[in-house]
Structures are given as C-alpha cells and as structure tokens.
Amino acid sequence: MNVIIRAEKPDERETSNQILRAAFGRENEVQLAQALRGLSDFNPNLSVVGADGTELRGMAIYHRATVDGETGPQPALFLSPIGVDPQYQRQIGRAHV
C-alpha cells in the first residue's frame, strides 16, 4: 500500500466523515469534524487525508490553538479527530500523526 498524506479536498469531506463513523461507530467525531470545519479560523491545509491512489483510508484534523504556559500563551496544534478505515488500522494511523 502506498499512502500519501495530503490536504483534504472539500468534495472528500463526506468520505472522511464515513471513515470516522466506521472507525468509532458513532457520530461524536463526525460532529466534531464538522464543527471544526465550520470555524472562521479553520485552515483546510490542516485537514489531511491518507489516500491510497484514489481511495481515502484515513483522515485527521489539526486545529490551531493557544496553550497557557509558564512563560505565557504559546501557539499549538491540537489533533482531533483522527480516524482510519478499520480495514487499515494499525497500518497507516501513525502517518497521520
């Protein structure tokens, strides 16, 4: 399998949502992904998919955040949600991280 990690295309969002449903068996992660995509500061370049040819096998969304540290606010990236098609789990998840 030759998986390429790249930015998610807008027309791939439903497939990404289907991957989350399959990976978790519920809607919580899909709702989180949709909420993040709807934020004004959403960066589509930080929503990534793992593609094997034309087939999507996994997805992840990174979101910019600020973390309060000892030296003051620090920029950070949060990773959530992340999902991999159950048939490919333990094979490509690490690449998304």
Side-chain angles (χ1 to χ4, degrees), residues 37-73:
R37 291 179 186 123
L39 294 174
S40 62
D41 62 345
F42 173 70
N43 182 340
N45 293 317
L46 296 177
S47 182
V48 298
V49 295
D52 180 16
T54 60
E55 299 294 322
L56 298 188
R57 305 298 186 200
M59 64 82 59
I61 295 179
Y62 292 85
H63 185 71
R64 293 180 194 271
T66 302
V67 176
D68 289 331
E70 291 179 11
T71 60

Side-chain angles (χ1 to χ4, degrees), residues 3-90:
V3 175
I4 305 283
I5 304 297
R6 60 167 174 76
E8 175 189 60
K9 299 173 187 172
D11 64 346
E12 296 173 325
R13 289 181 177 172
E14 183 51 39
T15 302
S16 291
N17 290 343
Q18 290 172 1
I19 290 169
L20 289 172
R21 282 186 196 98
F24 292 97
R26 61 186 186 198
E27 289 294 311
N28 298 26
E29 289 74 16
V30 174
Q31 292 170 354
L32 174 60
Q34 291 172 330
L36 290 172
R37 291 179 186 123
L39 294 174
S40 62
D41 62 345
F42 173 70
N43 182 340
N45 293 317
L46 296 177
S47 182
V48 298
V49 295
D52 180 16
T54 60
E55 299 294 322
L56 298 188
R57 305 298 186 200
M59 64 82 59
I61 295 179
Y62 292 85
H63 185 71
R64 293 180 194 271
T66 302
V67 176
D68 289 331
E70 291 179 11
T71 60
Q74 300 294 317
L77 286 178
F78 286 128
L79 169 60
S80 183
I82 179 171
V84 175
D85 182 318
Q87 296 178 12
Y88 298 93
Q89 289 177 356
R90 304 207 185 286

